[in-house]
Amino acid sequence: MAATNLLPQTPTFSKSLKYPLNPKSFSPFPNLLLRPSPKTLTLKAVLSQNPAKTLAADAQAQRFQHCFRKSEDGFLYCEGLRVQDVMDQVEKRPFYLYSKPQITRNFEAYREALEGLRSIIGYAIKANNNLKILEHLRELGCGAVLVSGNELRLALRAGFDPTRCIFNGNGKLLEDLVLAAQEGVFVNVDSEFDLDNIISAARIAGKKVNVLLRINPDVDPQVHPYVATGNKNSKFGIRNEKLQWFLDAVKAHPNELKLVGAHCHLGSTITKVDIFRDAAVLMVNYIDEIRAQGFEISYLNIGGGLGIDYYHAGAVLPSPRDLIDTVRELVLSRDLNLIIEPGRSLIANTCCLVNRVTGVKTNGTKNFVVIDGSMAELIRPSLYDAYQHIELVSPPPSDAQISTFDVVGPVCESADFLGKDRELPTPPRGAGLVVHDAGAYCMSMASTYNLKMRPPEYWVEDDGSVSKIRHGETFEDHVRYFEGL
């Protein structure tokens, strides 16, 4: 497709620009028998016969269906394994439970969507920094997107190829930039002082740094303001009207910097892929102008932010193929390498936070299910009123009354809730309750508030075994920080 047909308008660098936006039933799983495994706290189950066949026919839709599903027997299953059976075998505390096969399926959906393009799938480590998950994604072929020096160090520990890693952030520290320069990581330029630090890091490391300019395209992603990053009020990126200043600065430092691409990131939980195209149109126009000044630009980084079905209401949301197809011709028309930065859409729907019911109470006007999990383990609902689906893991008693509850934890804050106004059967004490889609921005944001120690993590392996992939923190871990002082 000719560039003139794709891009009728070419932006200038003298003003802020905006681009107009374009406006189940399941087969029952068999009861599963646990059998011993040589690994500590590892379960083994007989897998159901290809549960993926119960999903929609479309391959992309199949991969992004929820891997935790209620069967006709009333139990919640993950990859053919009863969540209740896992609860009966592991530590009696809140824990995160993942599906390793679902992580693979999500990655493969992106890889297949990118066929025919030169590309890097850069997993956003901030979404979930579990080392075992990172190692698995690296084995699948992922690169990594980093927003701190420690994330860079963790990516290197997990074995990621540093030349397939991108270092983002609006406040990168000099010492971390030196490590990035030494390792050959792509670095996004976010501000004037950031550029100064990158130049200094290149001199200290004695290496030229491959940089991308993070341009704020001023496109409204139509999401919660806390997760919007590509509009004019955001702290991220350079103002598009200052682009020429940055180009001149890069030209003045040929021994330290090589400008290889342009980057934008619009926000998170985006459910309209036309928004990505709106931004990509602007970005390739900027690339045209940058190339016209003699720069060999070969990368377009469109960030991440694809949303998922948190509501479990059957909404048809964009798949990775929908996202990539909306920018494919733009990328091909400029002979660019495409970088994408998925985090949530790779990991969120692979995991639940599993809790136990402590009790049920009422204050006369509201009913509460009190669980052992809390905002300390999963803060998204408290932080920005995020919705995550909640359900019981086992059939309730036959006489259980269905009522409307707030699901809350034991933390001493009125903000400690996992869900409000949820219609649930009244659960007995000790019943299992899960918060769905907890793989992204949940464990990575967990805290020890009220001295609730961060929970353990497990995943269901490809063969149906359940393995611990992170130890839960203990009180002894906490007091160890004060020893010898």
Short mmCIF file of all heavy atoms in Angstrom, two decimals, residues 3-53:
data_model
loop_
_atom_site.label_atom_id
_atom_site.label_comp_id
_atom_site.label_asym_id
_atom_site.label_seq_id
_atom_site.Cartn_x
_atom_site.Cartn_y
_atom_site.Cartn_z
N ALA A 3 2.40 4.85 0.60
CA ALA A 3 2.43 5.70 1.79
C ALA A 3 1.46 6.85 1.67
O ALA A 3 0.82 7.26 2.63
CB ALA A 3 3.84 6.22 2.03
N THR A 4 1.31 7.39 0.46
CA THR A 4 0.42 8.54 0.31
C THR A 4 -1.03 8.15 0.55
O THR A 4 -1.84 8.97 0.99
CB THR A 4 0.56 9.12 -1.11
OG1 THR A 4 0.38 8.07 -2.06
CG2 THR A 4 1.93 9.74 -1.30
N ASN A 5 -1.38 6.89 0.28
CA ASN A 5 -2.74 6.46 0.55
C ASN A 5 -2.97 6.21 2.03
O ASN A 5 -4.05 6.41 2.55
CB ASN A 5 -3.04 5.16 -0.23
CG ASN A 5 -3.09 5.40 -1.73
OD1 ASN A 5 -3.38 6.51 -2.16
ND2 ASN A 5 -2.78 4.37 -2.52
N LEU A 6 -1.91 5.75 2.69
CA LEU A 6 -2.04 5.47 4.12
C LEU A 6 -2.07 6.73 4.96
O LEU A 6 -2.79 6.83 5.93
CB LEU A 6 -0.87 4.61 4.59
CG LEU A 6 -0.95 3.12 4.28
CD1 LEU A 6 0.39 2.47 4.58
CD2 LEU A 6 -2.04 2.46 5.11
N LEU A 7 -1.27 7.70 4.56
CA LEU A 7 -0.99 8.83 5.45
C LEU A 7 -1.23 10.15 4.72
O LEU A 7 -0.30 10.75 4.20
CB LEU A 7 0.45 8.75 5.94
CG LEU A 7 0.80 7.41 6.61
CD1 LEU A 7 2.30 7.29 6.79
CD2 LEU A 7 0.09 7.30 7.93
N PRO A 8 -2.47 10.59 4.66
CA PRO A 8 -2.76 11.79 3.91
C PRO A 8 -2.22 13.07 4.54
O PRO A 8 -2.10 14.07 3.86
CB PRO A 8 -4.30 11.82 3.88
CG PRO A 8 -4.72 11.03 5.09
CD PRO A 8 -3.67 9.98 5.27
N GLN A 9 -1.94 13.03 5.84
CA GLN A 9 -1.48 14.25 6.50
C GLN A 9 -0.14 14.00 7.16
O GLN A 9 0.06 12.98 7.82
CB GLN A 9 -2.50 14.69 7.56
CG GLN A 9 -3.86 15.06 6.95
CD GLN A 9 -4.84 15.46 8.02
OE1 GLN A 9 -4.66 15.14 9.18
NE2 GLN A 9 -5.87 16.17 7.64
N THR A 10 0.78 14.90 7.00
CA THR A 10 2.09 14.79 7.64
C THR A 10 2.19 15.82 8.74
O THR A 10 2.00 17.01 8.51
CB THR A 10 3.21 15.04 6.61
OG1 THR A 10 3.09 14.08 5.57
CG2 THR A 10 4.58 14.93 7.28
N PRO A 11 2.45 15.38 10.00
CA PRO A 11 2.53 16.34 11.10
C PRO A 11 3.80 17.15 11.04
O PRO A 11 4.82 16.72 10.51
CB PRO A 11 2.51 15.44 12.35
CG PRO A 11 3.11 14.15 11.88
CD PRO A 11 2.70 14.01 10.44
N THR A 12 3.74 18.33 11.59
CA THR A 12 4.95 19.12 11.79
C THR A 12 5.32 19.03 13.26
O THR A 12 4.57 18.51 14.06
CB THR A 12 4.69 20.59 11.41
OG1 THR A 12 3.73 21.13 12.31
CG2 THR A 12 4.18 20.71 9.99
N PHE A 13 6.48 19.56 13.61
CA PHE A 13 6.96 19.48 14.98
C PHE A 13 6.61 20.74 15.78
O PHE A 13 7.04 20.90 16.90
CB PHE A 13 8.47 19.28 15.02
CG PHE A 13 8.93 18.05 14.31
CD1 PHE A 13 10.21 17.96 13.81
CD2 PHE A 13 8.08 16.98 14.15
CE1 PHE A 13 10.64 16.82 13.17
CE2 PHE A 13 8.50 15.82 13.52
CZ PHE A 13 9.78 15.75 13.03
N SER A 14 5.84 21.63 15.21
CA SER A 14 5.68 22.93 15.85
C SER A 14 4.45 23.02 16.74
O SER A 14 4.27 24.00 17.42
CB SER A 14 5.56 24.01 14.76
OG SER A 14 4.44 23.74 13.93
N LYS A 15 3.60 21.99 16.73
CA LYS A 15 2.40 22.08 17.57
C LYS A 15 1.99 20.70 18.04
O LYS A 15 2.34 19.69 17.45
CB LYS A 15 1.25 22.73 16.80
CG LYS A 15 0.84 21.97 15.54
CD LYS A 15 -0.30 22.66 14.82
CE LYS A 15 -0.75 21.91 13.57
NZ LYS A 15 -1.86 22.55 12.89
N SER A 16 1.21 20.68 19.11
CA SER A 16 0.70 19.43 19.64
C SER A 16 -0.36 18.90 18.70
O SER A 16 -1.20 19.63 18.20
CB SER A 16 0.10 19.67 21.03
OG SER A 16 -0.44 18.49 21.55
N LEU A 17 -0.31 17.58 18.44
CA LEU A 17 -1.18 17.00 17.44
C LEU A 17 -2.14 16.01 18.06
O LEU A 17 -1.81 15.30 18.99
CB LEU A 17 -0.34 16.26 16.38
CG LEU A 17 0.58 17.17 15.57
CD1 LEU A 17 1.58 16.33 14.81
CD2 LEU A 17 -0.23 18.00 14.61
N LYS A 18 -3.31 15.91 17.49
CA LYS A 18 -4.27 14.87 17.85
C LYS A 18 -4.74 14.23 16.56
O LYS A 18 -4.86 14.88 15.53
CB LYS A 18 -5.47 15.43 18.61
CG LYS A 18 -5.13 15.89 20.02
CD LYS A 18 -6.37 16.26 20.78
CE LYS A 18 -6.04 16.70 22.20
NZ LYS A 18 -7.23 17.07 22.96
N TYR A 19 -5.00 12.94 16.63
CA TYR A 19 -5.54 12.25 15.47
C TYR A 19 -6.92 11.77 15.85
O TYR A 19 -7.11 11.19 16.93
CB TYR A 19 -4.65 11.06 15.07
CG TYR A 19 -4.98 10.51 13.72
CD1 TYR A 19 -4.51 11.15 12.57
CD2 TYR A 19 -5.76 9.38 13.58
CE1 TYR A 19 -4.80 10.65 11.32
CE2 TYR A 19 -6.07 8.89 12.32
CZ TYR A 19 -5.59 9.53 11.20
OH TYR A 19 -5.89 9.03 9.96
N PRO A 20 -7.97 11.96 15.05
CA PRO A 20 -9.33 11.61 15.45
C PRO A 20 -9.47 10.10 15.66
O PRO A 20 -8.95 9.31 14.89
CB PRO A 20 -10.18 12.10 14.27
CG PRO A 20 -9.23 12.17 13.12
CD PRO A 20 -7.91 12.55 13.70
N LEU A 21 -10.21 9.72 16.70
CA LEU A 21 -10.43 8.31 17.00
C LEU A 21 -11.58 7.75 16.17
O LEU A 21 -12.57 8.43 15.91
CB LEU A 21 -10.77 8.15 18.48
CG LEU A 21 -9.69 8.59 19.46
CD1 LEU A 21 -10.21 8.43 20.87
CD2 LEU A 21 -8.44 7.79 19.24
N ASN A 22 -11.43 6.58 15.68
CA ASN A 22 -12.50 5.84 15.03
C ASN A 22 -13.32 5.12 16.11
O ASN A 22 -12.77 4.49 17.00
CB ASN A 22 -11.93 4.80 14.07
CG ASN A 22 -11.05 5.42 13.01
OD1 ASN A 22 -11.33 6.49 12.54
ND2 ASN A 22 -9.98 4.72 12.65
N PRO A 23 -14.46 6.04 15.78
CA PRO A 23 -15.23 5.45 16.85
C PRO A 23 -15.26 3.84 16.82
O PRO A 23 -15.29 3.31 15.78
CB PRO A 23 -16.62 6.02 16.67
CG PRO A 23 -16.56 7.09 15.66
CD PRO A 23 -15.17 7.07 15.08
N LYS A 24 -22.24 -19.99 27.00
CA LYS A 24 -21.30 -21.09 26.80
C LYS A 24 -21.63 -22.28 27.73
O LYS A 24 -21.88 -22.04 28.88
CB LYS A 24 -19.89 -20.67 27.10
CG LYS A 24 -19.48 -19.59 26.04
CD LYS A 24 -18.32 -18.88 26.45
CE LYS A 24 -18.02 -17.81 25.57
NZ LYS A 24 -17.79 -16.63 25.94
N SER A 25 -21.69 -23.21 27.22
CA SER A 25 -21.78 -24.32 28.16
C SER A 25 -20.57 -25.22 28.02
O SER A 25 -20.07 -25.38 26.93
CB SER A 25 -23.05 -25.12 27.96
OG SER A 25 -23.00 -25.82 26.75
N PHE A 26 -20.14 -25.89 29.13
CA PHE A 26 -18.93 -26.69 29.13
C PHE A 26 -19.23 -28.12 29.52
O PHE A 26 -20.12 -28.40 30.31
CB PHE A 26 -17.90 -26.10 30.12
CG PHE A 26 -17.57 -24.67 29.82
CD1 PHE A 26 -18.09 -23.65 30.59
CD2 PHE A 26 -16.76 -24.35 28.75
CE1 PHE A 26 -17.80 -22.33 30.29
CE2 PHE A 26 -16.46 -23.04 28.46
CZ PHE A 26 -16.98 -22.03 29.23
N SER A 27 -18.44 -29.03 28.98
CA SER A 27 -18.55 -30.42 29.37
C SER A 27 -18.00 -30.59 30.78
O SER A 27 -17.04 -29.93 31.15
CB SER A 27 -17.76 -31.30 28.40
OG SER A 27 -18.23 -31.15 27.09
N PRO A 28 -18.61 -31.48 31.57
CA PRO A 28 -18.08 -31.67 32.93
C PRO A 28 -16.71 -32.31 32.90
O PRO A 28 -16.42 -33.16 32.07
CB PRO A 28 -19.12 -32.60 33.58
CG PRO A 28 -19.76 -33.31 32.43
CD PRO A 28 -19.75 -32.34 31.29
N PHE A 29 -15.85 -31.89 33.83
CA PHE A 29 -14.55 -32.52 33.99
C PHE A 29 -14.70 -33.72 34.92
O PHE A 29 -15.51 -33.70 35.84
CB PHE A 29 -13.54 -31.55 34.59
CG PHE A 29 -13.20 -30.41 33.69
CD1 PHE A 29 -13.76 -29.16 33.89
CD2 PHE A 29 -12.34 -30.60 32.63
CE1 PHE A 29 -13.45 -28.11 33.05
CE2 PHE A 29 -12.02 -29.54 31.79
CZ PHE A 29 -12.57 -28.31 32.00
N PRO A 30 -13.90 -34.76 34.74
CA PRO A 30 -13.96 -35.89 35.67
C PRO A 30 -13.38 -35.51 37.02
O PRO A 30 -12.58 -34.60 37.13
CB PRO A 30 -13.08 -36.94 34.98
CG PRO A 30 -12.12 -36.14 34.15
CD PRO A 30 -12.90 -34.94 33.68
N ASN A 31 -13.80 -36.25 38.06
CA ASN A 31 -13.13 -36.07 39.34
C ASN A 31 -11.68 -36.53 39.20
O ASN A 31 -11.38 -37.50 38.52
CB ASN A 31 -13.81 -36.92 40.42
CG ASN A 31 -15.17 -36.37 40.76
OD1 ASN A 31 -15.42 -35.18 40.57
ND2 ASN A 31 -16.07 -37.21 41.24
N LEU A 32 -10.76 -35.81 39.81
CA LEU A 32 -9.35 -36.04 39.60
C LEU A 32 -8.70 -36.61 40.84
O LEU A 32 -8.92 -36.12 41.95
CB LEU A 32 -8.67 -34.72 39.21
CG LEU A 32 -9.29 -34.09 37.95
CD1 LEU A 32 -8.71 -32.71 37.76
CD2 LEU A 32 -9.02 -34.96 36.75
N LEU A 33 -7.89 -37.64 40.66
CA LEU A 33 -7.19 -38.27 41.76
C LEU A 33 -5.79 -37.70 41.89
O LEU A 33 -5.07 -37.62 40.91
CB LEU A 33 -7.12 -39.79 41.54
CG LEU A 33 -8.48 -40.50 41.47
CD1 LEU A 33 -8.26 -41.97 41.16
CD2 LEU A 33 -9.24 -40.35 42.78
N LEU A 34 -5.41 -37.32 43.09
CA LEU A 34 -4.06 -36.84 43.33
C LEU A 34 -3.14 -38.03 43.53
O LEU A 34 -3.51 -39.03 44.14
CB LEU A 34 -4.02 -35.95 44.57
CG LEU A 34 -4.91 -34.71 44.51
CD1 LEU A 34 -4.76 -33.94 45.80
CD2 LEU A 34 -4.55 -33.86 43.33
N ARG A 35 -1.93 -37.92 43.02
CA ARG A 35 -0.95 -38.97 43.26
C ARG A 35 0.38 -38.32 43.61
O ARG A 35 0.64 -37.17 43.26
CB ARG A 35 -0.80 -39.88 42.04
CG ARG A 35 -0.62 -39.20 40.71
CD ARG A 35 -0.75 -40.24 39.60
NE ARG A 35 -0.81 -39.64 38.28
CZ ARG A 35 0.26 -39.36 37.54
NH1 ARG A 35 1.46 -39.61 38.03
NH2 ARG A 35 0.14 -38.84 36.35
N PRO A 36 1.24 -39.05 44.32
CA PRO A 36 2.47 -38.44 44.81
C PRO A 36 3.38 -37.99 43.69
O PRO A 36 3.36 -38.53 42.59
CB PRO A 36 3.12 -39.57 45.63
CG PRO A 36 2.07 -40.58 45.84
CD PRO A 36 1.10 -40.44 44.71
N SER A 37 4.21 -37.01 43.99
CA SER A 37 5.21 -36.52 43.06
C SER A 37 6.51 -36.35 43.82
O SER A 37 6.50 -36.05 45.01
CB SER A 37 4.77 -35.18 42.46
OG SER A 37 5.82 -34.56 41.79
N PRO A 38 7.66 -36.52 43.16
CA PRO A 38 8.93 -36.35 43.87
C PRO A 38 9.19 -34.93 44.31
O PRO A 38 10.05 -34.69 45.15
CB PRO A 38 9.97 -36.81 42.84
CG PRO A 38 9.30 -36.66 41.52
CD PRO A 38 7.86 -36.96 41.78
N LYS A 39 8.48 -33.94 43.76
CA LYS A 39 8.74 -32.56 44.12
C LYS A 39 7.94 -32.17 45.36
O LYS A 39 6.79 -32.57 45.53
CB LYS A 39 8.37 -31.64 42.96
CG LYS A 39 9.18 -31.90 41.70
CD LYS A 39 8.68 -31.06 40.55
CE LYS A 39 9.07 -29.63 40.70
NZ LYS A 39 8.73 -28.83 39.51
N THR A 40 8.54 -31.37 46.21
CA THR A 40 7.86 -30.93 47.42
C THR A 40 6.63 -30.10 47.06
O THR A 40 6.67 -29.24 46.18
CB THR A 40 8.81 -30.08 48.26
OG1 THR A 40 9.98 -30.84 48.56
CG2 THR A 40 8.15 -29.64 49.55
N LEU A 41 5.52 -30.36 47.76
CA LEU A 41 4.28 -29.62 47.54
C LEU A 41 3.89 -29.59 46.07
O LEU A 41 3.49 -28.58 45.53
CB LEU A 41 4.40 -28.19 48.08
CG LEU A 41 4.34 -28.06 49.60
CD1 LEU A 41 4.59 -26.63 50.02
CD2 LEU A 41 3.00 -28.53 50.14
N THR A 42 4.02 -30.75 45.43
CA THR A 42 3.63 -30.86 44.03
C THR A 42 2.50 -31.86 43.91
O THR A 42 2.56 -32.94 44.48
CB THR A 42 4.82 -31.30 43.16
OG1 THR A 42 5.85 -30.33 43.28
CG2 THR A 42 4.43 -31.44 41.70
N LEU A 43 1.45 -31.48 43.20
CA LEU A 43 0.31 -32.37 42.99
C LEU A 43 0.38 -32.93 41.58
O LEU A 43 1.01 -32.38 40.70
CB LEU A 43 -1.00 -31.59 43.16
CG LEU A 43 -1.15 -30.78 44.43
CD1 LEU A 43 -2.47 -30.04 44.40
CD2 LEU A 43 -1.08 -31.67 45.65
N LYS A 44 -0.32 -34.03 41.38
CA LYS A 44 -0.40 -34.61 40.05
C LYS A 44 -1.85 -34.94 39.79
O LYS A 44 -2.55 -35.46 40.65
CB LYS A 44 0.45 -35.88 40.00
CG LYS A 44 0.90 -36.26 38.60
CD LYS A 44 2.09 -35.43 38.20
CE LYS A 44 2.75 -36.04 36.97
NZ LYS A 44 3.88 -35.24 36.54
N ALA A 45 -2.33 -34.64 38.61
CA ALA A 45 -3.71 -34.95 38.29
C ALA A 45 -3.81 -35.54 36.91
O ALA A 45 -2.97 -35.27 36.05
CB ALA A 45 -4.55 -33.67 38.36
N VAL A 46 -4.84 -36.35 36.70
CA VAL A 46 -5.12 -36.84 35.36
C VAL A 46 -5.83 -35.73 34.61
O VAL A 46 -6.89 -35.27 35.04
CB VAL A 46 -6.01 -38.09 35.42
CG1 VAL A 46 -6.32 -38.57 34.02
CG2 VAL A 46 -5.34 -39.18 36.23
N LEU A 47 -5.27 -35.28 33.50
CA LEU A 47 -5.86 -34.17 32.77
C LEU A 47 -7.12 -34.61 32.05
O LEU A 47 -7.20 -35.74 31.56
CB LEU A 47 -4.87 -33.62 31.74
CG LEU A 47 -3.70 -32.81 32.32
CD1 LEU A 47 -2.74 -32.44 31.20
CD2 LEU A 47 -4.20 -31.57 33.01
N SER A 48 -8.10 -33.73 31.97
CA SER A 48 -9.27 -34.01 31.16
C SER A 48 -8.87 -34.07 29.70
O SER A 48 -7.83 -33.56 29.29
CB SER A 48 -10.31 -32.91 31.37
OG SER A 48 -9.78 -31.67 30.98
N GLN A 49 -9.69 -34.69 28.90
CA GLN A 49 -9.38 -34.86 27.49
C GLN A 49 -9.56 -33.55 26.74
O GLN A 49 -10.67 -33.13 26.44
CB GLN A 49 -10.28 -35.95 26.88
CG GLN A 49 -10.02 -37.32 27.46
CD GLN A 49 -8.60 -37.78 27.19
OE1 GLN A 49 -8.11 -37.67 26.07
NE2 GLN A 49 -7.93 -38.27 28.22
N ASN A 50 -8.44 -32.88 26.47
CA ASN A 50 -8.40 -31.67 25.65
C ASN A 50 -9.51 -30.69 25.98
O ASN A 50 -10.43 -30.49 25.18
CB ASN A 50 -8.45 -32.06 24.17
CG ASN A 50 -8.08 -30.87 23.28
OD1 ASN A 50 -7.62 -29.85 23.78
ND2 ASN A 50 -8.27 -31.02 21.99
N PRO A 51 -9.50 -30.09 27.15
CA PRO A 51 -10.56 -29.14 27.50
C PRO A 51 -10.64 -27.96 26.55
O PRO A 51 -11.68 -27.30 26.46
CB PRO A 51 -10.18 -28.69 28.92
CG PRO A 51 -8.71 -28.96 29.03
CD PRO A 51 -8.46 -30.18 28.19
N ALA A 52 -9.56 -27.66 25.80
CA ALA A 52 -9.60 -26.54 24.87
C ALA A 52 -10.65 -26.73 23.80
O ALA A 52 -11.12 -25.78 23.18
CB ALA A 52 -8.23 -26.35 24.22
N LYS A 53 -11.06 -28.01 23.54
CA LYS A 53 -12.07 -28.25 22.50
C LYS A 53 -13.42 -27.70 22.87
O LYS A 53 -14.31 -27.58 22.03
CB LYS A 53 -12.17 -29.76 22.23
CG LYS A 53 -10.97 -30.31 21.47
CD LYS A 53 -11.18 -31.77 21.11
CE LYS A 53 -10.01 -32.29 20.30
NZ LYS A 53 -10.17 -33.73 19.97
#
